[in-house]
Amino acid sequence: MDIFYNSQKRTEYGLSQIKCLQIFGCSRSGYNGWKKRQADEQGKRALKEAEEKRIMELFRKIIAKRGYVPGRRTFRDDLWRDYNEHVSIKRCSKFMKKMSLIPNRPQKDAYKHQATHDHVCASPANKVNQNFNIAPRKVILTDITYLYYGIFRTPVYFCAFKDAYTKEILGHSVSNRMNIQLVKEAYDIMMEKHGSELKNPEVFIHSDQGSQYLSTTFKQMLENDGFIQSVSGRGNSQDNAPMESFFGQMKTRILNLIALCKDRKTVTVMINEYIRRYNTEFYQYNLSGLTPEEFYQYKTTEIYPLDNYYGVKGTELMSVSQLVAERRRLADEKNRKSREVYARNKERNHLHVSPLQIVARDQKILRKEINIWTEIKSNSNLQLNHLNQILAKAQNAEKYLETLSDSELEELKVPQNWQRHNELSYIFDMKGLF
């Protein structure tokens, strides 16, 4: 058909355009229509290629924003929220394949050791029972994981408290030691930022059976703030699945970056920024396409974040988070002034303390220290007597089990059923031995 476009070839072959069309049995209008369709298809291909280049550039911006390669659903949500581009999940997969993008996938965690503090049958009950989606700020999950950095893969430990309903990280801390102080720092940050939001009846704090969470210190903290403790079954990660999922996603996204850090200070900065972005910038498919922070505001106010409300731009309105923050600031200012007045009164009273009162106070401190060391001296004998008593109870428990029927023994395969038998009460005396 190229001879139709070239007059030199047409002269060489001695055929006119009309003659050629007659030979091929094609009408002139049909031929002209075919030429027009060819031109239209070329134009469409050019537009399609330009559109694909634009979408792929948006993909690169999303990767730069998040710091890792997300999955197809995350690409779909970010394109919609940040750029108002409606791209299907299937089309996102095609773009990822075309760009040779491989999403960050979880890697096998070699650290699966679990420490316990109480006897397995005397541990607190699992009151959450995998019912995580009760309401915002009703089920708070917590756990500890490890990360490593530097040439020698130096470990650091990361503790977090997470709202199971909104998936928001309420408090977190990083340390080079996995102890109760690590948990307390994360807990204090949660109470400082979100304590007023947790003043609801029956708020559950759910954890695994780690020694930090079964310690007397942690139990006392929860009791002082009116929380209800719930503990997963021993070795059952499904009982704390949302927390495990968060750690898995976090490691998938930034563990390889943390491994490049030179010191713990840099690791802490990176983790803090990741948590900030996770709460305020990362849209989630299961949260109505919102960030965890936006989803909490949406569920508590029933106002979905939009760009325009009845002709008034969203930027012209005070956000709910700003309103809450301002009210909280005023309350903190009032409390600060109250503390200052209390401190001044205390200092004023301290100026009138007599020397005799100071000496009496010092003697009280010394007597207290002497009593501590006296108790340490006698504790070894007391501990031996205590352990022998528990051993005697355990021996009696063995004899008691021999008297039970097969059905009763079958029931005792469930650890919590042990608490129904007084003859097996020795398990409550074994705190600190596991």
Side-chain angles (χ1 to χ4, degrees):
M1 300 295 284
D2 291 344
I3 61 176
F4 296 165
Y5 301 101
N6 194 315
S7 60
Q8 182 179 357
K9 287 185 177 181
R10 186 171 58 197
T11 304
E12 180 181 347
Y13 293 112
L15 297 174
S16 65
Q17 186 183 85
I18 297 175
K19 187 65 175 176
C20 287
L21 291 174
Q22 290 176 351
I23 293 174
F24 289 105
C26 178
S27 66
R28 189 168 186 176
S29 60
Y31 169 68
N32 291 332
W34 174 80
K35 285 201 302 182
K36 185 177 180 181
R37 288 194 298 274
Q38 290 291 101
D40 289 344
E41 288 179 3
Q42 291 175 359
K44 288 179 181 179
R45 282 197 296 269
L47 290 175
K48 184 179 179 181
E49 290 176 359
E51 176 69 8
E52 289 182 349
K53 288 181 180 179
R54 188 178 65 85
I55 297 296
M56 287 192 289
E57 185 61 31
L58 296 181
F59 269 58
R60 296 186 185 95
K61 291 182 179 180
I62 291 172
I63 296 172
K65 166 193 168 183
R66 288 182 169 265
Y68 64 93
V69 179
R72 55 186 180 176
R73 290 181 176 84
T74 303
F75 272 122
R76 193 274 302 272
D77 292 342
D78 283 18
L79 287 170
W80 165 48
R81 288 299 309 279
D82 287 344
Y83 305 104
N84 197 28
E85 292 286 346
H86 297 275
V87 182
S88 67
I89 294 177
K90 185 176 181 180
R91 193 174 176 213
C92 286
S93 298
K94 291 181 179 179
F95 276 114
M96 293 177 67
K97 186 176 181 180
K98 189 171 184 178
M99 298 174 68
S100 300
L101 292 177
I102 301 176
N104 289 42
R105 295 188 176 93
Q107 301 175 6
K108 184 177 180 180
D109 192 349
Y111 182 77
K112 288 296 181 182
H113 178 70
Q114 184 182 36
T116 58
H117 182 73
D118 289 352
H119 193 289
V120 61
C121 299
S123 61
N126 183 0
K127 298 178 181 178
V128 172
N129 198 25
Q130 299 187 18
N131 187 14
F132 304 115
N133 297 320
I134 300 177
R137 304 299 192 257
K138 293 291 288 184
V139 177
I140 310 302
L141 309 176
T142 180
D143 201 356
I144 301 173
T145 190
Y146 88 108
L147 307 161
Y148 54 82
Y149 68 92
I151 299 174
F152 302 104
R153 295 169 64 91
T154 307
V156 292
Y157 299 97
F158 172 66
C159 175
F161 286 82
K162 173 184 178 180
D163 186 339
Y165 190 88
T166 67
K167 306 185 188 304
E168 184 177 358
I169 301 301
L170 306 180
H172 69 279
S173 62
V174 180
S175 175
N176 57 354
R177 299 185 64 185
M178 188 174 65
N179 52 18
I180 185 59
Q181 187 62 30
L182 171 68
V183 177
K184 187 176 184 304
E185 288 177 3
Y187 180 86
D188 290 342
I189 291 174
M190 176 183 70
M191 296 304 297
E192 179 183 352
K193 293 182 177 179
H194 305 279
S196 59
E197 302 166 3
L198 298 171
K199 299 301 181 182
N200 301 318
E202 294 189 352
V203 176
F204 297 92
I205 305 293
H206 184 78
S207 66
D208 58 17
Q209 293 192 28
S211 59
Q212 297 81 9
Y213 297 116
L214 295 181
S215 65
T216 304
T217 302
F218 186 71
K219 291 180 180 179
Q220 190 63 48
M221 288 162 52
L222 300 186
E223 184 178 345
N224 293 342
D225 291 319
F227 295 134
I228 302 173
Q229 186 176 22
S230 174
V231 174
S232 302
R234 186 174 184 181
N236 188 354
S237 60
Q238 293 300 316
D239 287 343
N240 203 8
M243 197 73 240
E244 300 286 353
S245 175
F246 169 77
F247 283 153
Q249 291 178 358
M250 177 181 172
K251 290 184 177 182
T252 297
R253 296 166 178 173
I254 66 171
L255 182 58
N256 291 337
L257 297 175
I258 290 177
L260 302 177
C261 295
K262 296 180 180 179
D263 50 42
R264 187 164 65 89
K265 181 179 179 181
T266 309
V267 173
T268 304
V269 171
M270 184 176 291
I271 291 176
N272 290 343
E273 179 62 14
Y274 174 81
I275 297 299
R276 185 193 68 79
R277 292 191 181 186
Y278 172 84
N279 284 335
T280 62
E281 296 183 12
F282 291 176
Y283 310 117
Q284 297 195 28
Y285 176 77
N286 294 328
L287 299 182
S288 304
L290 303 175
T291 66
E293 189 176 273
E294 288 176 338
F295 188 70
Y296 172 72
Q297 301 297 341
Y298 169 53
K299 284 299 180 180
T300 53
T301 65
E302 298 184 356
I303 300 176
Y304 193 92
L306 299 173
D307 296 331
N308 187 292
Y309 297 93
Y310 301 103
V312 179
K313 293 183 178 180
T315 55
E316 297 177 2
L317 298 175
M318 179 183 294
S319 68
V320 178
S321 58
Q322 287 176 336
L323 182 61
V324 172
E326 182 62 21
R327 289 178 178 175
R328 187 176 297 162
R329 186 190 66 80
L330 294 175
D332 292 342
E333 182 70 16
K334 182 178 180 181
N335 293 335
R336 184 184 62 80
K337 291 181 179 178
S338 299
R339 289 194 297 269
E340 290 178 353
V341 172
Y342 174 78
R344 285 197 298 269
N345 293 336
K346 184 177 181 180
E347 184 179 359
R348 190 181 301 113
N349 295 333
H350 182 70
L351 295 175
H352 296 88
V353 176
S354 67
L356 289 176
Q357 290 175 317
I358 295 175
V359 173
R361 180 205 62 190
D362 294 342
Q363 291 180 13
K364 183 179 179 180
I365 295 174
L366 290 170
R367 289 193 184 97
K368 183 178 179 180
E369 190 70 15
I370 291 172
N371 290 335
I372 291 174
W373 285 100
T374 303
E375 290 178 3
I376 292 175
K377 183 178 179 181
S378 60
N379 270 347
S380 58
N381 291 329
L382 293 175
Q383 184 67 8
L384 284 173
N385 292 333
H386 176 64
L387 294 175
N388 285 324
Q389 291 174 5
I390 299 175
L391 179 59
K393 290 182 180 180
Q395 292 170 344
N396 292 333
E398 183 181 11
K399 296 177 181 178
Y400 171 71
L401 292 175
E402 293 174 352
T403 65
L404 298 181
S405 63
D406 293 340
S407 60
E408 290 174 323
L409 291 174
E410 188 68 23
E411 290 181 359
L412 289 177
K413 290 183 179 180
V414 179
Q416 275 67 31
N417 291 341
W418 285 49
Q419 303 178 24
R420 302 176 183 174
H421 299 261
N422 292 330
E423 293 81 0
L424 304 177
S425 61
Y426 78 93
I427 60 178
F428 296 100
D429 299 327
M430 297 185 67
K431 292 184 176 180
L433 299 181
F434 288 84

